[in-house]
Amino acid sequence: MEILAYGVQADERPLLERAFAGRHGLRCLDVFLNRDTAPLAARYAAVSSSVNAVLDAETLAVLADGGTKLIAQRSTGFNNIDLDAAALARMKDDAILVNSSRGGLVDSAALVETLRAGRLSGVGLDVYEEETGVFFTDRSIHGITDDVLARLVTFPQVLVTSHQAYFTHTAVGQIIDATARNIDDFAAGRRNENTLVPTHT
């Protein structure tokens, strides 16, 4: 697959190139994705955007008309995305939605209705906004009591992986390393970039 990455910073470029090497073609741009730069993505099935992208209805329409099927945003924020336009208004019926960053990015009830209308050919969810008590526990006896999640998993084009994207040697190793460093820094009386400090008003 050919991927067009927008808003790529100098430190990101080698990481992106290494991540996709031998698997997907990658073109990196330093301009941010918005309604003016969206035409550059014509004929690219996938684009990757940064938190500085403006994914409003017009930008999404230009991407969809140009053949883009997937927007992979390199951030966990979503305030720059017109979710209604992305889910319903102008994207093509064969679009695929993937969320592996955090729950709450997707209105799951609206997603069910979008799937029922046949407007998505695939959905991959590694997170779910009401996942507390659902993932990381054995539910084989009790079953799923969340009606929206139960409806989602009945669609043949939906895959819910219950945070399995998190369980990689790299991800778990990085979390453990950061945890150990946080404890070491605390014991030594140091603060690091992971220290949460309350703001005073």
Side-chain angles (χ1 to χ4, degrees):
M1 179 182 295
E2 293 297 316
I3 302 166
L4 182 63
Y6 284 89
V8 177
Q9 304 300 307
D11 59 336
E12 285 185 294
R13 184 182 293 265
L15 299 175
L16 284 167
E17 290 173 346
R18 186 164 55 246
F20 295 117
R23 296 187 297 134
H24 303 288
L26 175 69
R27 179 184 174 200
C28 294
L29 302 176
D30 57 5
V31 297
F32 298 121
L33 175 56
N34 55 43
R35 64 185 67 182
D36 296 321
T37 60
L40 297 172
R43 296 180 299 280
Y44 282 90
V47 300
S48 177
S49 62
S50 70
V51 70
N52 294 305
V54 179
L55 294 167
D56 56 14
E58 185 176 344
T59 301
L60 293 168
V62 172
L63 290 173
D65 290 342
T68 297
K69 311 296 184 194
L70 173 69
I71 301 169
Q73 183 156 272
R74 301 188 310 279
S75 72
T76 57
F78 60 97
N79 58 303
N80 59 330
I81 305 172
D82 185 329
L83 295 178
D84 291 334
L88 299 171
R90 305 286 293 276
M91 300 304 281
K92 303 299 184 184
D93 293 347
D94 58 353
I96 297 173
L97 171 69
V98 178
N99 183 16
S100 61
S101 54
R102 65 186 175 106
L105 290 181
V106 176
D107 181 336
S108 297
L111 178 58
V112 168
E113 296 308 312
T114 301
L115 285 162
R116 289 181 63 191
R119 296 188 59 85
L120 288 170
S121 64
V123 174
L125 301 175
D126 194 57
V127 290
Y128 178 68
E129 70 267 27
E130 301 295 335
E131 62 194 25
T132 303
V134 177
F135 298 157
F136 302 114
T137 58
D138 183 354
R139 305 294 299 176
S140 57
I141 296 175
H142 304 290
I144 300 174
T145 56
D146 184 313
D147 292 339
V148 174
L149 180 58
R151 291 178 71 191
L152 275 175
V153 298
T154 64
F155 291 95
Q157 72 270 42
V158 173
L159 176 64
V160 180
T161 54
S162 308
H163 280 285
Q164 295 306 303
Y166 156 82
F167 286 115
T168 65
H169 290 294
T170 301
V172 174
Q174 288 175 345
I175 290 170
I176 291 172
D177 289 346
T179 301
R181 185 164 63 88
N182 292 342
I183 292 172
D184 289 342
D185 286 346
F186 176 79
R190 297 187 299 260
R191 285 184 178 175
N192 63 36
E193 68 276 12
N194 299 324
T195 304
L196 299 179
V197 180
T199 57
H200 299 285
T201 57

Short mmCIF file of all heavy atoms in Angstrom, two decimals, residues 118-146:
data_model
loop_
_atom_site.label_atom_id
_atom_site.label_comp_id
_atom_site.label_asym_id
_atom_site.label_seq_id
_atom_site.Cartn_x
_atom_site.Cartn_y
_atom_site.Cartn_z
N GLY A 118 -24.36 -0.08 6.14
CA GLY A 118 -23.44 -0.60 5.14
C GLY A 118 -22.42 0.40 4.66
O GLY A 118 -21.90 0.29 3.55
N ARG A 119 -22.09 1.39 5.49
CA ARG A 119 -21.19 2.45 5.06
C ARG A 119 -19.72 2.20 5.40
O ARG A 119 -18.87 3.03 5.09
CB ARG A 119 -21.64 3.79 5.63
CG ARG A 119 -23.00 4.24 5.13
CD ARG A 119 -23.31 5.66 5.57
NE ARG A 119 -22.32 6.59 5.09
CZ ARG A 119 -22.35 7.18 3.88
NH1 ARG A 119 -23.32 6.89 3.03
NH2 ARG A 119 -21.42 8.03 3.53
N LEU A 120 -19.41 1.09 6.04
CA LEU A 120 -18.02 0.75 6.34
C LEU A 120 -17.77 -0.70 5.95
O LEU A 120 -18.55 -1.58 6.30
CB LEU A 120 -17.73 0.94 7.83
CG LEU A 120 -17.63 2.38 8.35
CD1 LEU A 120 -17.58 2.40 9.87
CD2 LEU A 120 -16.42 3.09 7.78
N SER A 121 -16.66 -0.92 5.26
CA SER A 121 -16.36 -2.30 4.88
C SER A 121 -15.53 -3.01 5.93
O SER A 121 -15.37 -4.23 5.88
CB SER A 121 -15.61 -2.32 3.54
OG SER A 121 -14.36 -1.67 3.66
N GLY A 122 -14.98 -2.27 6.89
CA GLY A 122 -14.21 -2.92 7.94
C GLY A 122 -14.00 -1.99 9.12
O GLY A 122 -13.93 -0.77 8.96
N VAL A 123 -13.95 -2.58 10.31
CA VAL A 123 -13.68 -1.84 11.54
C VAL A 123 -12.73 -2.66 12.39
O VAL A 123 -12.97 -3.85 12.62
CB VAL A 123 -14.98 -1.55 12.34
CG1 VAL A 123 -14.66 -0.91 13.68
CG2 VAL A 123 -15.92 -0.67 11.54
N GLY A 124 -11.66 -2.03 12.84
CA GLY A 124 -10.74 -2.68 13.77
C GLY A 124 -10.61 -1.84 15.02
O GLY A 124 -10.22 -0.68 14.97
N LEU A 125 -11.00 -2.41 16.16
CA LEU A 125 -10.96 -1.68 17.43
C LEU A 125 -10.07 -2.43 18.42
O LEU A 125 -10.36 -3.58 18.76
CB LEU A 125 -12.36 -1.55 18.02
CG LEU A 125 -13.42 -0.83 17.19
CD1 LEU A 125 -14.77 -0.89 17.89
CD2 LEU A 125 -13.01 0.61 16.94
N ASP A 126 -9.01 -1.78 18.86
CA ASP A 126 -8.21 -2.36 19.93
C ASP A 126 -8.58 -1.73 21.27
O ASP A 126 -8.11 -2.16 22.31
CB ASP A 126 -6.72 -2.16 19.65
CG ASP A 126 -5.85 -3.02 20.55
OD1 ASP A 126 -6.03 -4.25 20.52
OD2 ASP A 126 -5.03 -2.48 21.29
N VAL A 127 -9.41 -0.69 21.21
CA VAL A 127 -9.88 -0.02 22.42
C VAL A 127 -11.38 0.21 22.30
O VAL A 127 -11.94 0.22 21.21
CB VAL A 127 -9.15 1.32 22.65
CG1 VAL A 127 -7.71 1.10 23.02
CG2 VAL A 127 -9.25 2.21 21.42
N TYR A 128 -12.01 0.42 23.44
CA TYR A 128 -13.46 0.63 23.49
C TYR A 128 -13.74 1.52 24.67
O TYR A 128 -13.18 1.33 25.76
CB TYR A 128 -14.16 -0.73 23.62
CG TYR A 128 -15.66 -0.65 23.73
CD1 TYR A 128 -16.43 -0.23 22.66
CD2 TYR A 128 -16.30 -1.01 24.91
CE1 TYR A 128 -17.81 -0.17 22.76
CE2 TYR A 128 -17.69 -0.96 25.01
CZ TYR A 128 -18.43 -0.53 23.94
OH TYR A 128 -19.81 -0.48 24.04
N GLU A 129 -14.62 2.53 24.50
CA GLU A 129 -14.77 3.54 25.55
C GLU A 129 -15.35 3.01 26.86
O GLU A 129 -15.13 3.57 27.91
CB GLU A 129 -15.59 4.73 25.05
CG GLU A 129 -17.06 4.47 24.81
CD GLU A 129 -17.34 4.08 23.37
OE1 GLU A 129 -16.44 3.53 22.70
OE2 GLU A 129 -18.47 4.30 22.92
N GLU A 130 -16.09 1.91 26.82
CA GLU A 130 -16.68 1.34 28.04
C GLU A 130 -16.00 0.01 28.38
O GLU A 130 -16.64 -0.94 28.79
CB GLU A 130 -18.18 1.13 27.85
CG GLU A 130 -18.96 2.38 27.53
CD GLU A 130 -18.96 3.39 28.67
OE1 GLU A 130 -18.78 2.95 29.83
OE2 GLU A 130 -19.11 4.59 28.40
N GLU A 131 -14.67 -0.02 28.24
CA GLU A 131 -13.97 -1.30 28.35
C GLU A 131 -13.65 -1.73 29.77
O GLU A 131 -13.26 -2.87 29.99
CB GLU A 131 -12.66 -1.22 27.55
CG GLU A 131 -11.72 -0.18 28.06
CD GLU A 131 -10.60 0.11 27.08
OE1 GLU A 131 -10.78 -0.11 25.88
OE2 GLU A 131 -9.55 0.56 27.53
N THR A 132 -13.82 -0.84 30.76
CA THR A 132 -13.50 -1.21 32.13
C THR A 132 -14.33 -2.43 32.55
O THR A 132 -15.55 -2.45 32.43
CB THR A 132 -13.80 -0.03 33.09
OG1 THR A 132 -13.04 1.10 32.68
CG2 THR A 132 -13.44 -0.41 34.52
N GLY A 133 -13.63 -3.45 33.03
CA GLY A 133 -14.30 -4.67 33.47
C GLY A 133 -14.62 -5.64 32.35
O GLY A 133 -15.17 -6.72 32.59
N VAL A 134 -14.32 -5.25 31.10
CA VAL A 134 -14.60 -6.12 29.95
C VAL A 134 -13.33 -6.79 29.46
O VAL A 134 -13.27 -8.00 29.30
CB VAL A 134 -15.26 -5.33 28.80
CG1 VAL A 134 -15.47 -6.23 27.59
CG2 VAL A 134 -16.58 -4.72 29.25
N PHE A 135 -12.28 -5.99 29.24
CA PHE A 135 -11.01 -6.52 28.77
C PHE A 135 -10.15 -6.91 29.97
O PHE A 135 -10.34 -6.44 31.08
CB PHE A 135 -10.27 -5.51 27.91
CG PHE A 135 -11.03 -5.12 26.66
CD1 PHE A 135 -10.76 -3.93 26.02
CD2 PHE A 135 -12.00 -5.94 26.12
CE1 PHE A 135 -11.44 -3.56 24.87
CE2 PHE A 135 -12.69 -5.59 24.97
CZ PHE A 135 -12.41 -4.39 24.34
N PHE A 136 -9.20 -7.77 29.74
CA PHE A 136 -8.25 -8.25 30.75
C PHE A 136 -8.89 -9.14 31.80
O PHE A 136 -8.30 -9.43 32.83
CB PHE A 136 -7.52 -7.10 31.45
CG PHE A 136 -6.75 -6.21 30.52
CD1 PHE A 136 -7.13 -4.90 30.34
CD2 PHE A 136 -5.66 -6.69 29.83
CE1 PHE A 136 -6.43 -4.08 29.47
CE2 PHE A 136 -4.95 -5.88 28.97
CZ PHE A 136 -5.34 -4.57 28.79
N THR A 137 -10.12 -9.55 31.61
CA THR A 137 -10.77 -10.48 32.53
C THR A 137 -11.43 -11.59 31.73
O THR A 137 -11.79 -11.41 30.57
CB THR A 137 -11.85 -9.77 33.38
OG1 THR A 137 -12.82 -9.17 32.52
CG2 THR A 137 -11.23 -8.70 34.27
N ASP A 138 -11.59 -12.74 32.35
CA ASP A 138 -12.23 -13.88 31.70
C ASP A 138 -13.74 -13.70 31.78
O ASP A 138 -14.34 -13.80 32.85
CB ASP A 138 -11.80 -15.18 32.40
CG ASP A 138 -12.37 -16.42 31.72
OD1 ASP A 138 -13.17 -16.27 30.78
OD2 ASP A 138 -12.02 -17.52 32.15
N ARG A 139 -14.37 -13.43 30.62
CA ARG A 139 -15.81 -13.21 30.57
C ARG A 139 -16.54 -14.41 29.98
O ARG A 139 -17.70 -14.30 29.61
CB ARG A 139 -16.11 -11.98 29.72
CG ARG A 139 -15.40 -10.70 30.15
CD ARG A 139 -15.85 -10.22 31.50
NE ARG A 139 -17.27 -9.91 31.50
CZ ARG A 139 -17.95 -9.54 32.58
NH1 ARG A 139 -17.33 -9.47 33.75
NH2 ARG A 139 -19.23 -9.28 32.50
N SER A 140 -15.88 -15.56 29.89
CA SER A 140 -16.48 -16.71 29.22
C SER A 140 -17.73 -17.23 29.93
O SER A 140 -18.61 -17.80 29.30
CB SER A 140 -15.45 -17.84 29.07
OG SER A 140 -14.93 -18.20 30.34
N ILE A 141 -17.82 -17.05 31.24
CA ILE A 141 -19.00 -17.51 31.98
C ILE A 141 -20.11 -16.48 31.95
O ILE A 141 -21.28 -16.80 31.73
CB ILE A 141 -18.62 -17.84 33.44
CG1 ILE A 141 -17.64 -19.01 33.48
CG2 ILE A 141 -19.86 -18.14 34.28
CD1 ILE A 141 -17.12 -19.33 34.86
N HIS A 142 -19.76 -15.21 32.12
CA HIS A 142 -20.77 -14.15 32.24
C HIS A 142 -21.22 -13.60 30.90
O HIS A 142 -22.30 -13.03 30.80
CB HIS A 142 -20.22 -13.01 33.10
CG HIS A 142 -19.77 -13.46 34.45
ND1 HIS A 142 -20.63 -13.86 35.44
CD2 HIS A 142 -18.53 -13.59 34.98
CE1 HIS A 142 -19.96 -14.21 36.52
NE2 HIS A 142 -18.67 -14.06 36.26
N GLY A 143 -20.39 -13.73 29.89
CA GLY A 143 -20.74 -13.17 28.59
C GLY A 143 -20.60 -11.67 28.56
O GLY A 143 -20.15 -11.05 29.53
N ILE A 144 -21.01 -11.06 27.44
CA ILE A 144 -20.92 -9.61 27.29
C ILE A 144 -22.25 -8.98 27.66
O ILE A 144 -23.28 -9.29 27.07
CB ILE A 144 -20.56 -9.24 25.83
CG1 ILE A 144 -19.21 -9.85 25.44
CG2 ILE A 144 -20.53 -7.73 25.65
CD1 ILE A 144 -18.86 -9.66 23.98
N THR A 145 -22.23 -8.10 28.66
CA THR A 145 -23.46 -7.44 29.09
C THR A 145 -23.61 -6.05 28.48
O THR A 145 -24.65 -5.42 28.63
CB THR A 145 -23.50 -7.32 30.62
OG1 THR A 145 -22.32 -6.63 31.07
CG2 THR A 145 -23.54 -8.70 31.27
N ASP A 146 -22.58 -5.57 27.81
CA ASP A 146 -22.63 -4.27 27.13
C ASP A 146 -23.32 -4.47 25.78
O ASP A 146 -22.79 -5.12 24.88
CB ASP A 146 -21.20 -3.75 26.94
CG ASP A 146 -21.16 -2.36 26.33
OD1 ASP A 146 -21.86 -2.13 25.32
OD2 ASP A 146 -20.41 -1.51 26.83
#
